[in-house]
Every structure is written in C-alpha cells, then in structure tokens.
Amino acid sequence: MSRIEPSAPQVAARSETHRLFFALMPDAVTRHEINHVAAWVQQQHPELRARWVRPERFHATLNFLGDFPVLTDEAVAKASAAAHGVRAAPFAWALDYVDSFRGREPPCVLRGSQVPEPLLALRRNMHATLVETGLRLRNERQFTPHVTLAYARHALPQATPVPRLVWQVDRFVLVHNVVGKGDYQVLGTWGLSG
C-alpha cells in the first residue's frame, strides 16, 4: 500500500538543489532510541564539535536517485513505479556501535555489527526495479547501511559500542529534500510484506 503526496512545484530558484532518495525511516520508538544514542555520544565525545542531526531527519538511505535543479513529476512517477515493483519481507536490524566516516566534516554514524541479508536483498531488489524504469543511478562502490547522527569537525578515535537497539523495519519511503532548507518531505510510503 502506498501514499503519494502531490508533486513538488515545477518552478524553483536556480540555486536550489532538490534531492530525491529512497530510505528507511524509523518509527517513533526507534527514533527516540536513536536520539538517546546520539545524546550519549554527544556527552561522551564533546571533542567532535558536531552539528547533530535532528531526530525527525534520522534515516538510512537505500538508494540515492540524484540531485535535480527542479524536481519533476516524471522523476517522482518513475521512482514511485519502481517502488510498487519492490518485493521484500519485513526484518529486524540491530544497531550496536557508532563510528566515523571520512570526509571534510566526518559523519558520525550508527551501524550494526551485522547487516541483515533482507536489508541487502531489499536494496538489490529496489536497484533492479529502478534500473527497469529508466532512472539513472549513481554508481556506488559499496553499500554501508547506517544512520547519520552528526557531522563533526573531528572523527571518533575508534568504533565505539553502544547499547544495542533493534529497529523493526516494515516499510520504506521516497524522500524529497531541498538541500539546506527545511524538513524532509515523504512523497510515498510502501510496506514490506514479503
């Protein structure tokens, strides 16, 4: 079952960048648990001097569809058509450590020691259906599922265990964001039913 919101306006300022991606979004309880982990990391590692992600923006990206100067109905329609073709079962994803990725502002991320096979299968299935719709996808060398907690001035010295939380994943969403402005807009939601 899906819910599609009205499309974004066809006219946008030239300086805007419209980002479109599929993601896993946590439910309220999981979002609260992730925020608790973020607060713990912030307390334990003030040297990160980080910009902390607001809880309503916690997500795990599945497939990045691109940045656009204007988000068109065609792009949203193709992504939605692909989403309707995705078949995957719900699964549990255990998140149990934080680490830093490399970068100018090293992201501090929450990850799991083991990546569930159904998560990898969901991404593969989604990628295949997206290719069939004719969407051009960025080639990603490696898929590293994670939830970004912060963008920091310094990286964590090492991966750090955190109290294990289990995210019961039962849906994925199509997200639109104008980079640097406002909250995420969920354009559609699709349940996982096997």
Side-chain angles (χ1 to χ4, degrees):
M1 184 168 141
S2 67
R3 176 177 49 80
I4 302 294
E5 298 295 333
S7 64
Q10 295 293 309
V11 178
R14 288 184 183 210
S15 61
E16 288 185 343
T17 300
H18 294 263
R19 185 159 286 166
L20 192 63
F21 59 95
F22 281 109
L24 304 176
M25 288 280 202
D27 57 75
V29 171
T30 306
R31 183 179 299 113
H32 177 76
E33 291 178 351
I34 294 170
N35 195 44
H36 184 73
V37 169
W40 180 87
V41 174
Q42 189 172 7
Q43 183 180 40
Q44 296 297 313
H45 295 280
E47 75 279 4
L48 293 179
R49 298 175 60 201
R51 289 184 298 114
W52 295 89
V53 174
R54 295 192 320 268
E56 61 270 18
R57 291 175 69 102
F58 290 151
H59 70 278
T61 301
L62 287 171
N63 283 93
F64 178 72
L65 303 182
D67 287 338
F68 306 88
V70 175
L71 183 63
T72 65
D73 287 339
E74 180 184 11
V76 173
K78 284 184 176 183
S80 298
H84 284 295
V86 172
R87 297 291 175 261
F91 59 91
W93 182 19
L95 300 165
D96 56 9
Y97 75 98
V98 291
D99 202 357
S100 291
F101 288 156
R102 293 181 181 163
R104 188 172 56 84
E105 288 185 293
C108 176
V109 298
L110 177 61
R111 298 181 58 191
S113 298
Q114 296 187 351
V115 178
E117 177 53 37
L119 172 53
L120 299 175
L122 169 61
R123 184 170 185 279
R124 284 192 304 267
N125 186 321
M126 179 176 288
H127 186 83
T129 59
L130 286 166
V131 169
E132 288 173 12
T133 64
L135 280 168
R136 293 182 180 171
L137 300 176
R138 181 175 68 177
N139 287 331
E140 296 181 15
R141 291 187 299 258
Q142 184 177 358
F143 175 55
T144 306
H146 65 278
V147 177
T148 300
L149 303 178
Y151 296 93
R153 292 196 181 179
H154 305 285
L156 287 167
Q158 61 188 15
T160 305
V162 296
R164 183 175 183 266
L165 68 92
V166 178
W167 179 352
Q168 298 294 335
V169 179
D170 63 358
R171 72 180 76 81
F172 65 92
V173 297
L174 177 62
V175 179
H176 167 236
N177 173 243
V178 179
V179 176
K181 295 183 179 180
D183 294 327
Y184 291 152
Q185 179 186 14
V186 174
L187 301 180
T189 301
W190 292 266
L192 301 179
S193 57

